[in-house]
Amino acid sequence: MDDKQIIELYFERNEQAIKETEKKYGRFCHYIAMNVLGIQEDAEECVNDAYYSAWKQIPPTVPEIFKVYLGRITRNLSISRFRAMRAKKRYSSMEIMLSELSDCVPSPSNVEQTMEVIQLSKYIIQWLDSLPEEDRVLFIRRYWFGDEVQELAKKYGISAAKMAQRMLRLRKSLKATLEKKGVAL
Amino acid sequence: MKNEIMYDGITGIRDDLVLQAENYQFSKKNHDKRHKKIWMKWGIMAACVCLAIGLGIFGIGRGAKPGDTAGSGSGGHESGSVFMSYAGPVFPLNALSDTTGITAVRNTDFDFASYETKMKYYEVDGEQTGYQDYETESLVTDRYFLNNTTDEDIVLTASYPFAGTFSNGYKWMPTISVDDSIIETSLYAGRFSGGFYSAHGLDTDKTDRSNIKSAGEWTEFQALLEDGSYIADAYAEYPQLNQNVIVYKLSNIAYDGLDETATNPTLGMEFNVISSDTRILSYGSTGGRRDVETGEFQQCYHIPEENERGYGMDRYLIVLGEDITVPEIQGYRDGGCEEGEEIEGVTADVVRFETTLGEIVWKLLIEERELSYFEEEQIDVASDEMLFGSVAELMYDYGILSDNVAERYEWGSLEDMWTETYNMQRVMYINFDVVIPANGSVRVDADMKKDASFDFVGAGTDRNGYDMVTRLGSTLEFSEQTASVSNTQFIEIIYQNFGFDLEKGITQVELDVNEPHYYMEVRKVN
């Protein structure tokens, strides 16, 4: 079933929409949730919540690219779960990813603009667009899909240590770009 | 936290960038290098085989099998076909009783009929509509002819292993038939078949056991099963939970709703642990804090609204060892249960009683399971006793009853014990007796749906892996093993070491019983 048909089911309020979403994108959403949470049952709950969230949002929302839309919901729900449960649970995958992302956080400067997340996304997109294709893909695979460094290294054919180094360089580059723009978080 | 804002910022990047990253094929240079390595590995192996044949080390026909050609495989799970989700191999039948005078002939058939594209229908506003779809599971028939070369009937106690979880066992558990009649069997479950790794990742010298690592390739099953201790353990009695415990039961948990700033009203239960040997288990808790040095503990329980899951449910704190100080109840605005966030109006009845660990675990996880968190769970393959025993096993192996508690379980959440037990990959064994007549034979079939090994994302999501082991964990003497594929018109084989050649019509091949592992990757033909 193509995405358009699935979205039509949502608009018709036909619960088959959820089943078709699960069938087509269940693995994908689960992969993202597992990558960031690392706990099977929590990932499953997160994905189920993502379906429910899609059900609530469509209509009126019409996702441009349904797969990415679902992935984004899954990411948002994953970090919400992380925030709510951090006192109790160790979401180590998320903790590692966030710890790495600390490297991208710009240092305070005199000319600062505190911004909404939407604006931050725009700056990140500008930075991503300026990167060589492979670097761009590696960054997104690591920090959007949550692929582990070892996994990326295997796919790319280099050692995990080299991949980690490359990631560090990318994070520093993003940080420098944001600092140049006077971004403060 | 600023890094969390960064995470949110990355979440919001353009759709096309995400799609590009998902579908990206890493540079030709790197890919060629990787495949070259794989080819070289097999090239060397093929060369060795040729040399060995020349020296007459291998038996007649060993070199004639198509599977020995260098181009037919990718190197398998050891060197190339590693999947993000590994379903585990098809295992051979095993014997638990004496096998003197018995020989076995095996054929394993992988049927790909489920790959056929079919129309699936559903109803919209009373009208039928449909779409095209296919499945990626293989229907496997693992067939054995058991031959009795003696002059007396032999009753063989057999055991058929399969990899699965309690949660998915209902789907993948084989059915056993003898001479076409499905027979009654009994199920035994092994322990968790995977391991753990550090919260800091796989490539670290940190030794904490915070993350679950399921078996990712067949060699991990090999390490688990080859010395026989795993199966022996699967048939052993479960450990007992007869320790005396003190239980604090919280019921009638309520919040008067007067404080509008309470976004997530939470009950905090605060107490002191006097002895460092005391261990704490919780049930229904949503968070907590522990200061091991001072002994100050706090356990937090979210207060659900009416119609929310868990509303009206009792919560528990279970003390193993010396009793704690009298618990105090405090309400908080949210699940953080932090100082300065206290609210009034949170109440609960607390009752203290003594029992055994086994009784309270049985009550909460088995008897009352359907009333609480697990109402939608589907449990078909495992009995209550098996689930209970497996929870006990996990508690002793890695949980609070272990001398070396894994960091993953140090919070002592009973629900975690349950969900882990339920979802952990393990090898399970189907037991049955079969009579093999004197100087005769019987046919035993294990029929199952075999889930594909697969990748969640990336360029290889269309490839599905299936594999089998020839002798691992079996005491049977195999005089012959073959493998076959059926309904192959719906698939193409990308990598393999079986030796099938669909173009030439070679769909059945003889296997070398000394080759421990055979694998193939297939793709749907459009």
Side-chain angles (χ1 to χ4, degrees):
Chain A
M1 182 178 272
D2 65 33
D3 289 356
K4 197 171 164 231
Q5 286 174 298
I6 297 175
I7 291 165
E8 278 170 7
L9 288 175
Y10 278 96
F11 271 81
E12 288 156 3
R13 307 315 289 159
N14 185 331
E15 289 180 9
Q16 186 70 19
I18 305 244
K19 288 182 185 160
E20 297 306 329
T21 304
E22 182 179 16
K23 192 172 185 63
K24 192 166 182 185
Y25 295 120
R27 283 181 178 185
F28 172 75
C29 293
H30 188 263
Y31 175 76
I32 290 173
M34 266 305 280
N35 275 356
V36 292
L37 295 176
I39 297 176
Q40 180 77 18
E41 62 270 23
D42 287 7
E44 277 171 17
E45 279 187 22
C46 192
V47 171
N48 286 334
D49 289 347
Y51 300 147
Y52 180 59
S53 186
W55 178 257
K56 284 196 296 185
Q57 290 176 23
I58 312 170
T61 302
V62 183
E64 199 168 324
I65 297 174
F66 190 44
K67 185 177 191 175
V68 181
Y69 166 81
L70 288 168
R72 193 170 284 125
I73 291 179
T74 306
R75 272 179 66 87
N76 285 333
L77 290 171
S78 296
I79 193 142
S80 296
R81 180 170 286 259
F82 170 80
R83 285 168 178 147
M85 303 287 280
R86 75 175 105 206
K88 181 189 175 192
K89 292 203 175 182
R90 284 164 182 259
Y91 292 119
S92 52
S93 310
M94 177 70 91
E95 280 162 14
I96 292 167
M97 194 193 291
L98 290 176
S99 149
E100 289 178 17
L101 287 177
S102 298
D103 293 338
C104 311
V105 176
S107 305
S109 69
N110 294 330
V111 190
E112 286 180 356
Q113 47 167 327
T114 307
M115 60 185 51
E116 298 290 328
V117 170
I118 287 178
Q119 185 57 38
L120 176 64
S121 295
K122 283 181 184 168
Y123 283 138
I124 294 172
I125 290 167
Q126 282 174 13
W127 172 75
L128 284 168
D129 282 337
S130 73
L131 292 177
E133 195 176 31
E134 278 191 346
D135 279 343
R136 179 165 62 242
V137 168
L138 286 171
F139 187 88
I140 295 170
R141 290 300 287 254
R142 173 71 189 111
Y143 299 111
W144 204 95
F145 288 89
D147 284 4
E148 286 189 353
V149 170
Q150 297 94 314
E151 185 64 29
L152 284 173
K154 204 183 288 176
K155 282 178 186 158
Y156 195 68
I158 61 173
S159 72
K162 278 189 182 166
M163 182 55 75
Q165 211 169 20
R166 190 159 178 174
M167 285 295 164
L168 177 63
R169 184 173 57 75
L170 286 168
R171 293 196 299 270
K172 284 184 174 172
S173 160
L174 175 56
K175 180 182 179 180
T177 302
L178 295 176
E179 281 175 350
K180 271 185 205 164
K181 293 182 184 297
V183 171
L185 300 180
Chain B
M1 298 278 282
K2 292 177 179 180
N3 49 6
E4 291 173 30
I5 300 171
M6 191 60 70
Y7 175 100
D8 291 337
I10 291 167
T11 301
I13 62 173
R14 279 197 323 262
D15 289 4
D16 64 295
L17 293 172
V18 176
L19 284 184
Q20 182 202 31
E22 194 203 351
N23 298 318
Y24 188 77
Q25 297 268 355
F26 286 110
S27 78
K28 190 93 174 65
K29 185 182 163 194
N30 288 305
H31 259 264
D32 282 347
K33 203 192 289 179
R34 181 165 166 257
H35 280 274
K36 191 176 172 189
K37 275 185 189 169
I38 292 163
W39 188 92
M40 280 174 67
K41 194 163 185 177
W42 277 93
I44 292 163
M45 285 180 74
C48 293
V49 169
C50 293
L51 180 61
I53 292 165
L55 295 172
I57 293 169
F58 283 76
I60 293 168
R62 172 69 178 84
K65 289 198 302 298
D68 289 334
T69 56
S72 64
S74 75
H77 293 279
E78 280 183 0
S79 52
S81 305
V82 175
F83 291 93
M84 293 173 182
S85 172
Y86 178 48
V90 176
F91 294 102
L93 182 70
N94 179 33
L96 298 177
S97 56
D98 186 16
T99 59
T100 306
I102 299 172
T103 60
V105 174
R106 178 191 191 192
N107 180 69
T108 310
D109 182 67
F110 294 86
D111 184 332
F112 295 100
S114 64
Y115 276 71
E116 182 181 10
T117 303
K118 291 180 181 162
M119 284 301 289
K120 295 205 173 166
Y121 295 94
Y122 60 95
E123 209 172 84
V124 177
D125 295 336
E127 285 187 25
Q128 287 278 315
T129 182
Y131 61 97
Q132 293 190 328
D133 199 12
Y134 68 96
E135 307 291 340
T136 59
E137 61 208 23
S138 172
L139 303 172
V140 172
T141 301
D142 201 12
R143 173 165 293 176
Y144 299 83
F145 289 96
L146 301 175
N147 305 306
N148 178 356
T149 59
T150 71
D151 296 330
E152 291 185 2
D153 292 356
I154 297 176
V155 179
L156 182 78
T157 302
S159 160
Y160 192 78
F162 69 102
T165 66
F166 290 140
S167 59
N168 68 22
Y170 73 95
K171 195 170 180 187
W172 311 120
M173 182 170 157
T175 55
I176 305 293
S177 54
V178 175
D179 290 337
D180 287 327
S181 297
I182 293 176
I183 58 165
E184 281 198 20
T185 59
S186 49
L187 184 73
Y188 292 82
R191 285 176 142 88
F192 173 42
S193 55
F196 299 89
Y197 65 98
S198 166
H200 298 270
L202 287 163
D203 285 347
T204 174
D205 54 0
K206 309 271 186 196
T207 55
D208 62 281
R209 293 174 294 169
S210 303
N211 289 334
I212 284 274
K213 184 182 177 301
S214 293
E217 45 193 309
W218 84 275
T219 49
E220 292 176 57
F221 284 104
Q222 183 184 37
L224 197 70
L225 301 184
E226 64 184 353
D227 73 355
S229 59
Y230 183 87
I231 184 171
D233 190 56
Y235 287 102
E237 293 287 320
Y238 286 114
Q240 299 294 307
L241 297 177
N242 46 18
Q243 298 85 350
N244 292 321
V245 293
I246 300 153
V247 178
Y248 291 89
K249 175 182 171 185
L250 287 86
S251 50
N252 300 319
I253 300 172
Y255 170 54
D256 62 16
L258 296 180
D259 188 336
E260 289 180 357
T261 65
T263 52
N264 174 21
T266 300
L267 181 149
M269 188 172 176
E270 285 144 21
F271 53 92
N272 270 58
V273 170
I274 299 156
S275 166
S276 59
D277 292 333
T278 300
R279 298 188 177 185
I280 304 290
L281 276 159
S282 67
Y283 183 75
S285 161
T286 46
R289 267 191 199 80
R290 299 180 178 192
D291 186 331
V292 180
E293 285 185 9
T294 63
E296 289 174 17
F297 276 54
Q298 181 193 50
Q299 209 74 37
C300 302
Y301 302 86
H302 164 65
I303 306 172
E305 291 181 61
E306 205 170 344
N307 300 323
E308 192 181 341
R309 191 170 72 167
Y311 176 76
M313 197 184 90
D314 296 335
R315 268 73 168 164
Y316 294 82
L317 188 82
I318 301 160
V319 182
L320 184 62
E322 190 178 335
D323 201 0
I324 56 176
T325 58
V326 178
E328 291 176 11
I329 300 294
Q330 175 63 56
Y332 291 92
R333 278 190 181 81
D334 58 38
C337 289
E338 287 176 354
E339 205 174 327
E341 297 297 321
E342 294 89 350
I343 54 171
E344 300 296 321
V346 170
T347 54
D349 297 333
V350 182
V351 175
R352 177 191 181 281
F353 61 93
E354 295 180 17
T355 182
T356 64
L357 183 58
E359 280 178 15
I360 189 71
V361 170
W362 178 271
K363 171 184 158 61
L364 296 178
L365 297 190
I366 305 296
E367 278 180 12
E368 296 186 0
R369 183 179 66 236
E370 290 182 2
L371 305 175
S372 56
Y373 285 123
F374 314 114
E375 56 198 357
E376 291 172 8
E377 301 286 5
Q378 183 165 6
I379 301 161
D380 287 334
V381 297
S383 65
D384 285 349
E385 288 74 15
M386 183 178 286
L387 291 163
F388 176 72
S390 299
V391 168
E393 216 166 51
L394 182 62
M395 286 171 123
Y396 276 101
D397 288 348
Y398 308 108
I400 63 152
L401 300 179
S402 166
D403 291 334
N404 183 19
V405 182
E407 286 74 3
R408 186 176 178 84
Y409 306 119
E410 65 189 6
W411 283 93
S413 161
L414 266 186
E415 299 97 307
D416 285 356
M417 286 285 118
W418 165 264
T419 49
E420 294 275 290
T421 299
Y422 195 56
N423 290 303
M424 278 177 152
Q425 190 182 50
R426 59 188 79 233
V427 178
M428 290 185 264
Y429 296 90
I430 303 170
N431 263 39
F432 57 96
D433 285 342
V434 58
V435 180
I436 314 173
N439 295 303
S441 71
V442 292
R443 197 184 83 207
V444 175
D445 287 342
D447 291 293
M448 71 200 96
K449 288 178 181 174
K450 187 67 189 162
D451 196 11
S453 301
F454 59 88
D455 285 348
F456 301 99
V457 293
T461 47
D462 59 346
R463 68 188 181 121
N464 292 301
Y466 308 90
D467 61 332
M468 61 176 285
V469 283
T470 50
R471 292 183 306 154
L472 179 61
S474 178
T475 57
L476 283 171
E477 183 188 330
F478 290 99
S479 58
E480 184 186 330
Q481 287 203 24
T482 54
S484 54
V485 281
S486 312
N487 285 305
T488 55
Q489 64 272 33
F490 308 117
I491 56 141
E492 60 177 326
I493 300 178
I494 313 162
Y495 300 126
Q496 60 164 321
N497 70 342
F498 280 96
F500 300 120
D501 190 332
L502 303 187
E503 283 185 11
K504 292 179 182 169
I506 299 172
T507 55
Q508 180 155 25
V509 292
E510 185 187 337
L511 304 180
D512 178 359
V513 293
N514 293 312
E515 173 68 44
H517 179 236
Y518 284 89
Y519 64 88
M520 64 180 137
E521 284 181 28
V522 311
R523 183 159 51 202
K524 161 86 173 158
V525 177
N526 291 317

